[in-house]
Amino acid sequence: MNLPQDRADFVVVSNRLPVDRTDDDDDPWRHSPGGLVTALEPVMRAADGAWVGWPGRAGLDLPPFTFDGMSLVPVRLSEDDIAEYYEGFSNDTIWPLYHDVIAAPTYHRAWWDAYVKVNRRFAEATADVAAHGATVWVQDYQLQLVPRLLRELRPDVLIGYFHHIPFPAYGIYSQLPWRRQVIDGLLGADVIGFQRVADAGNFARAVRRLFGYETKAGSITVPEGDGVRRAVAKAYPISIDGAQYEELARRPEIQARAREIRESLGNPRAILLGVDRLDYTKGIRHRLKAYGELLDEGRLDSEDVTLIQVASPSRERVAAYMQLRDEIELMVGRINGDFDTVGHSAVRYLHHSYPRDEMVALYLAADVMLVTALRDGMNLVAKEYVASRIDGRGALVLSEFAGAADELTQAVRVNPHDIEGVKDAIVAAVEMSDAEQRRRMRALRRRVRVNDVAGWSRRFLADLEAMRGSR
Ligand code: G6P
């Protein structure tokens, strides 16, 4: 194959680029939302590769460009693509299905057709920028067909795929009318990575049930041409750049900002914090219900505590998200109506996203971090809180349904569906002694240090490179 010299040896492909286009010509780019971009940005900065993705706006046709030291290759999505491939199939079919049908998935044949079409567009854009024998790393559920499509276009490249969200049990997965095509798409990769061991197990079971291929200890025998090849399906729990959060947490101006936040809230005895995209998987309603009842029952004194809930806007044109926003804002309004005084707020609800500096100040200001997801691939917010607590203080309440619970075993563990249990966990966290906070935080911080995002990508890419020989 004769390819020009300026193609990349390492290519990341994800639905979103790390930056979204804004309306502001003076400040045209802002950080994209979500854990995927947070995790991959430091990896991309360290590698000299290209990042293929959507620039976050309809109809934008941009040539490749460099931003903040990264080479970005934009893929155009039209209004219809956004409605059918992104909001439709990705976020109203796959997202609810893979999060254990917390919301009902919608199955539309036209959305599937759009998903196939856009996945092909991403595969073609990737095939155009990848150098001969390049390593290509495809990311997440929006692009599950890209590994197979890319392998057909470019059999010379090494293909990894990482799935950032849960992979459901077969009894749920089997609802998908296109269940065979999606598994076949993923099996185009040499290594298929998941957040948890349970996700990799669910995937292997789906492969056996639908195709009858042999799967053994994370290795899958896939027919190819007249012969067979091997694909790996394994867990690689994702993480964060912990050192970066520590560094921010040490900055005097960020510590001053944390003190200012506490003061502005009247220096309450306890500040509780929730930080989520406004998504029904995050258990925000369950959290508010538990908190409201604790205030009602007087187990928490409304003069003494404040809950800061950052709910960053997300997928705002999808009906389930609009409804969730209404429900949450109604609940917040009720709690505040009942418990606010002129000088004090029971819930500080912030429907915004904030830059990393402000997030670290919030983490430092919060005595208790609440992560009550009903289902979550990993939840990097839990890890960001731990990494920011250089003072060794603070308590983390963590749902057992978040992938992070497999690693962060020293958190106060909750089943978010058990409202009484969540209430007890919140009270235990608020009342936790200083010594107990330090003991738990020490162990939590050790875990985040041992598995940081650089280690995550190193482990994945080492397994991927090892496949070169066996292709
Ligand atoms: C999660 C997904 C990502 C996604 C992010 C933000 O973290 O795993 O793939 O990018 O949410 O969602 P959005 O739909 O705004 O890209």
Coordinates of all heavy atoms in Angstrom, one line a residue, residues 14-17 20 32-38 54 86-87 90-91 95 99 139-142 163-166 195 277 279 282 313-316 321 376-377 380, ligand 1:
S14 N -13.1 8.6 18.3 CA -14.2 8.6 19.2 C -15.3 9.5 18.6 O -15.0 10.3 17.8 CB -13.8 9.2 20.6 OG -13.4 10.5 20.5
N15 N -16.5 9.3 19.1 CA -17.6 10.2 18.6 C -17.3 11.6 18.7 O -17.4 12.4 17.7 CB -18.9 9.8 19.3 CG -20.0 10.7 18.8 OD1 -20.3 10.8 17.6 ND2 -20.6 11.5 19.7
R16 N -16.8 12.0 19.9 CA -16.5 13.5 20.1 C -15.0 13.7 20.0 O -14.2 12.9 20.5 CB -16.9 13.9 21.5 CG -18.3 14.3 21.6 CD -18.5 14.9 23.0 NE -19.9 15.1 23.3 CZ -20.6 16.1 22.8 NH1 -20.1 17.0 22.1 NH2 -21.9 16.2 23.1
L17 N -14.6 14.8 19.4 CA -13.3 15.3 19.6 C -13.2 15.8 21.0 O -14.2 16.1 21.7 CB -13.0 16.5 18.6 CG -12.8 16.1 17.2 CD1 -12.7 17.3 16.3 CD2 -11.6 15.2 17.0
D20 N -15.4 21.0 21.7 CA -16.6 21.3 21.0 C -16.5 22.7 20.4 O -16.0 23.6 21.1 CB -17.8 21.3 22.0 CG -18.4 19.9 22.2 OD1 -18.0 19.0 21.4 OD2 -19.3 19.8 23.0
S32 N -15.0 19.2 25.7 CA -16.2 18.4 25.5 C -16.6 17.7 26.9 O -15.7 17.5 27.7 CB -15.9 17.2 24.5 OG -15.5 17.8 23.3
P33 N -17.9 17.4 27.0 CA -18.3 16.8 28.3 C -17.9 15.3 28.4 O -17.7 14.7 27.4 CB -19.8 17.0 28.2 CG -20.2 16.9 26.8 CD -19.0 17.6 26.1
G34 N -17.9 14.8 29.6 CA -17.9 13.4 29.8 C -16.5 12.8 30.2 O -15.5 13.4 29.9
G35 N -16.6 11.6 30.7 CA -15.4 10.9 31.2 C -14.5 10.5 30.1 O -13.2 10.4 30.3
L36 N -15.0 10.1 28.9 CA -14.1 9.6 27.9 C -13.0 10.6 27.5 O -11.9 10.2 27.5 CB -15.0 9.3 26.6 CG -14.4 8.6 25.4 CD1 -15.4 7.8 24.7 CD2 -13.7 9.6 24.5
V37 N -13.5 11.8 27.2 CA -12.5 12.8 26.8 C -11.5 13.2 27.9 O -10.3 13.3 27.7 CB -13.3 14.1 26.3 CG1 -12.5 15.3 26.3 CG2 -13.9 13.8 24.9
T38 N -12.0 13.2 29.2 CA -11.2 13.5 30.3 C -10.1 12.5 30.4 O -8.9 12.8 30.7 CB -12.0 13.4 31.6 OG1 -13.2 14.1 31.5 CG2 -11.2 13.8 32.8
W54 N -16.1 14.0 16.0 CA -17.1 15.0 15.6 C -16.8 16.3 16.4 O -16.6 16.2 17.7 CB -18.5 14.4 16.0 CG -19.6 15.4 15.9 CD1 -19.9 16.2 14.9 CD2 -20.6 15.6 16.9 NE1 -21.1 16.9 15.2 CE2 -21.5 16.6 16.4 CE3 -20.8 15.1 18.2 CZ2 -22.6 17.0 17.1 CZ3 -21.9 15.5 18.9 CH2 -22.8 16.5 18.4
Y86 N -26.8 9.9 16.6 CA -26.3 10.3 18.0 C -27.4 10.3 19.0 O -27.4 9.6 20.0 CB -25.6 11.7 17.8 CG -25.3 12.3 19.2 CD1 -24.3 11.8 20.0 CD2 -25.9 13.5 19.6 CE1 -24.0 12.3 21.2 CE2 -25.7 14.0 20.9 CZ -24.7 13.5 21.7 OH -24.4 14.0 22.9
E87 N -28.4 11.2 18.8 CA -29.5 11.2 19.8 C -30.3 10.0 19.7 O -30.8 9.5 20.8 CB -30.3 12.5 19.6 CG -29.6 13.8 19.9 CD -30.2 15.0 19.4 OE1 -31.1 15.0 18.5 OE2 -29.8 16.1 19.8
S90 N -27.5 6.0 19.3 CA -26.5 5.9 20.3 C -27.1 6.2 21.7 O -26.9 5.4 22.7 CB -25.4 6.9 20.1 OG -24.7 6.6 18.9
N91 N -28.0 7.2 21.8 CA -28.4 7.7 23.1 C -29.8 7.4 23.5 O -30.2 7.6 24.7 CB -28.0 9.2 23.3 CG -26.5 9.4 23.4 OD1 -25.8 8.5 24.0 ND2 -26.0 10.4 22.7
W95 N -27.6 3.4 24.7 CA -27.3 3.9 26.1 C -28.3 3.3 27.1 O -27.9 2.6 28.1 CB -27.3 5.4 26.1 CG -27.0 6.0 27.4 CD1 -27.9 6.3 28.4 CD2 -25.7 6.3 28.0 NE1 -27.2 6.8 29.5 CE2 -25.9 6.8 29.3 CE3 -24.4 6.2 27.5 CZ2 -24.8 7.2 30.1 CZ3 -23.4 6.6 28.3 CH2 -23.6 7.1 29.5
H99 N -27.4 0.3 29.9 CA -27.4 0.6 31.3 C -28.6 -0.1 31.9 O -29.4 0.4 32.7 CB -27.5 2.1 31.5 CG -26.2 2.8 31.3 ND1 -25.8 3.3 30.1 CD2 -25.2 3.1 32.1 CE1 -24.6 3.8 30.1 NE2 -24.2 3.7 31.4
Q139 N -13.1 4.2 20.3 CA -13.7 4.3 21.6 C -15.2 4.3 21.6 O -15.8 5.1 20.8 CB -13.2 5.7 22.2 CG -11.8 6.0 22.1 CD -10.9 5.2 23.1 OE1 -11.4 4.9 24.1 NE2 -9.7 4.8 22.7
D140 N -15.7 3.5 22.4 CA -17.1 3.6 22.9 C -18.3 3.2 22.0 O -18.1 3.1 20.8 CB -17.3 5.0 23.5 CG -18.0 4.9 24.9 OD1 -18.3 3.7 25.3 OD2 -18.3 5.9 25.5
Y141 N -19.4 3.2 22.6 CA -20.6 2.5 22.1 C -21.2 3.2 20.8 O -22.0 2.6 20.1 CB -21.7 2.6 23.2 CG -22.2 3.9 23.6 CD1 -23.4 4.5 23.1 CD2 -21.4 4.7 24.4 CE1 -23.8 5.7 23.5 CE2 -21.8 6.0 24.8 CZ -23.0 6.5 24.3 OH -23.4 7.7 24.7
Q142 N -20.8 4.5 20.6 CA -21.3 5.1 19.3 C -20.7 4.5 18.1 O -21.2 4.7 17.0 CB -21.0 6.6 19.4 CG -21.5 7.4 20.6 CD -20.5 7.4 21.7 OE1 -19.5 6.7 21.7 NE2 -20.7 8.4 22.7
H163 N -14.6 0.0 25.4 CA -16.0 0.2 25.7 C -16.1 0.9 27.1 O -15.9 0.3 28.1 CB -16.7 -1.1 25.7 CG -18.2 -1.1 25.7 ND1 -18.9 -0.9 24.5 CD2 -19.1 -1.4 26.6 CE1 -20.2 -1.0 24.8 NE2 -20.3 -1.3 26.1
H164 N -16.5 2.2 27.1 CA -16.5 3.0 28.3 C -17.7 2.8 29.2 O -17.7 3.2 30.3 CB -16.4 4.5 28.0 CG -15.1 4.9 27.3 ND1 -14.1 5.6 28.0 CD2 -14.6 4.6 26.1 CE1 -13.1 5.7 27.2 NE2 -13.3 5.1 26.1
I165 N -18.8 2.2 28.6 CA -20.0 2.0 29.4 C -20.2 0.5 29.7 O -19.4 -0.3 29.2 CB -21.2 2.6 28.7 CG1 -21.6 1.8 27.4 CG2 -20.9 4.1 28.3 CD1 -22.9 2.3 26.7
P166 N -21.2 0.2 30.5 CA -21.4 -1.3 30.8 C -21.7 -2.1 29.6 O -22.3 -1.5 28.6 CB -22.6 -1.3 31.8 CG -22.7 0.1 32.3 CD -22.2 1.0 31.2
Q195 N -14.7 -2.1 31.1 CA -14.3 -1.5 32.4 C -14.2 -2.5 33.4 O -13.3 -2.5 34.3 CB -15.5 -0.5 32.8 CG -15.7 0.7 31.9 CD -14.7 1.8 32.0 OE1 -13.5 1.5 32.4 NE2 -15.0 3.0 31.6
R277 N -23.1 14.4 34.9 CA -23.9 14.9 33.7 C -25.3 14.6 34.1 O -25.7 13.7 34.8 CB -23.6 14.1 32.5 CG -22.4 14.5 31.7 CD -22.2 13.7 30.4 NE -22.2 12.3 30.6 CZ -23.3 11.5 30.4 NH1 -24.4 12.0 29.8 NH2 -23.2 10.2 30.6
D279 N -28.0 12.9 33.8 CA -28.3 11.7 33.1 C -29.1 10.7 34.1 O -28.7 10.7 35.3 CB -27.0 11.0 32.7 CG -27.2 9.9 31.7 OD1 -27.9 8.9 32.0 OD2 -26.7 10.0 30.5
K282 N -27.4 8.3 36.6 CA -26.5 8.8 37.7 C -27.2 8.7 39.1 O -26.6 9.0 40.1 CB -26.1 10.2 37.4 CG -25.3 10.4 36.1 CD -24.0 9.7 36.1 CE -23.2 10.0 34.9 NZ -21.9 9.3 34.8
P313 N -25.3 20.0 31.7 CA -26.3 19.8 30.7 C -25.8 18.7 29.7 O -24.6 18.6 29.4 CB -26.3 21.1 29.9 CG -25.8 22.1 30.8 CD -24.8 21.4 31.7
S314 N -26.7 17.8 29.4 CA -26.4 16.7 28.5 C -27.5 16.2 27.6 O -28.6 16.1 28.1 CB -25.9 15.5 29.4 OG -25.3 14.5 28.6
R315 N -27.3 15.9 26.4 CA -28.2 15.3 25.5 C -29.6 15.9 25.6 O -30.6 15.2 25.8 CB -28.3 13.8 25.7 CG -26.9 13.2 25.7 CD -26.8 11.8 26.0 NE -25.3 11.4 26.2 CZ -24.9 10.3 26.7 NH1 -25.7 9.4 27.2 NH2 -23.6 10.1 26.8
E316 N -29.7 17.2 25.5 CA -30.9 17.9 26.0 C -32.1 17.8 25.0 O -33.2 18.2 25.4 CB -30.6 19.4 26.1 CG -29.6 19.6 27.3 CD -29.4 21.1 27.7 OE1 -28.6 21.7 26.9 OE2 -30.1 21.5 28.6
Y321 N -34.1 12.7 28.8 CA -33.3 13.7 29.5 C -34.1 15.0 29.9 O -33.9 15.6 30.9 CB -32.0 14.1 28.7 CG -31.0 12.9 28.6 CD1 -31.3 11.8 27.7 CD2 -29.9 12.9 29.4 CE1 -30.4 10.8 27.7 CE2 -29.0 11.8 29.3 CZ -29.3 10.8 28.5 OH -28.4 9.7 28.4
D376 N -23.2 2.6 36.0 CA -22.1 3.5 35.5 C -20.9 2.7 35.0 O -20.5 1.8 35.8 CB -21.7 4.5 36.5 CG -21.2 5.8 36.0 OD1 -20.8 5.8 34.8 OD2 -21.3 6.9 36.7
G377 N -20.4 2.9 33.8 CA -19.3 2.1 33.4 C -18.2 2.2 34.4 O -17.7 1.1 34.9
L380 N -15.6 8.5 36.8 CA -14.3 9.1 37.1 C -14.4 10.2 38.1 O -13.4 10.5 38.7 CB -13.7 9.7 35.8 CG -13.4 8.6 34.7 CD1 -12.8 9.2 33.5 CD2 -12.4 7.6 35.3
Ligands
G6P1 C1 -20.1 9.1 28.6 C2 -19.8 8.3 27.4 C3 -19.0 9.1 26.3 C4 -19.7 10.4 26.1 C5 -19.9 11.2 27.3 C6 -20.6 12.5 27.1 O1 -18.9 9.4 29.3 O2 -19.1 7.1 27.7 O3 -18.8 8.4 25.2 O4 -18.9 11.2 25.2 O5 -20.7 10.4 28.2 O6 -21.8 12.3 26.4 P1 -22.1 13.0 25.1 O7 -23.3 12.4 24.5 O8 -22.3 14.5 25.4 O9 -20.9 12.8 24.2

